[in-house]
Amino acid sequence: MAPHPWALPTAIIFNLSGIALGLYTFFSPLSAARMFGLDLAHPAGGESLSDNVSLRMVPVFGGRNIAIGVAFFVLYWQRMPKAMGTLLLSLMVSGTVDTAVTGIWGPADKAWTHALGSAVLGLCGWGLLM
């Protein structure tokens, strides 16, 4: 059976972007939070920025992104494009929640960015499942 034509580009794009985003959250959690539409720059009640519990959670999401990036590489290596598609559709759910949360509590332009990303995840996932 011939490999799925979308499998390699999808694996490369999501592997590299997952790992890069994850590393970015470790090295620059405040900038990463702002990039994703979370304003964590104003700690409450005299709290210092380093004591901000929300900011300390940003690298947790980075770890998730690194794990997802590694998963795409492994699924491609195992020749499992349908599993890659299923993972992408599952990530679309996460992206939709990010869209809703950012739309309610964050800037509208960042919510639209999350919505566009969710749509890309869904379309790529659907393409790999076909």
Side-chain angles (χ1 to χ4, degrees):
M1 174 189 253
H4 194 288
W6 288 23
L8 180 59
T10 302
I12 291 171
I13 290 168
F14 289 103
N15 171 264
L16 294 178
S17 63
I19 291 172
L21 282 172
L23 291 175
Y24 183 56
T25 65
F26 287 118
F27 293 112
S28 188
L30 185 57
S31 295
R34 288 180 181 152
M35 180 179 73
F36 288 112
L38 302 173
D39 185 12
L40 303 179
H42 307 290
E47 174 184 47
S48 75
L49 197 55
S50 63
D51 291 332
N52 187 328
V53 174
S54 298
L55 186 61
R56 289 190 307 218
M57 290 300 295
V58 172
V60 171
F61 301 114
R64 174 189 70 175
N65 289 334
I66 291 172
I68 290 166
V70 170
F72 277 106
F73 172 76
V74 171
L75 291 172
Y76 175 76
W77 181 66
Q78 294 174 340
R79 301 193 194 298
M80 299 176 70
K82 290 195 182 295
M84 290 170 58
T86 302
L87 179 57
L88 284 167
L89 290 175
S90 299
L91 291 171
M92 185 182 73
V93 174
S94 174
T96 302
V97 171
D98 290 348
T99 301
V101 168
T102 307
I104 294 168
W105 292 293
D109 63 324
K110 298 296 183 180
W112 281 108
T113 302
H114 284 291
L116 178 62
S118 296
V120 168
L121 292 170
L123 288 172
C124 289
W126 175 77
L128 286 169
L129 289 174
M130 293 296 114

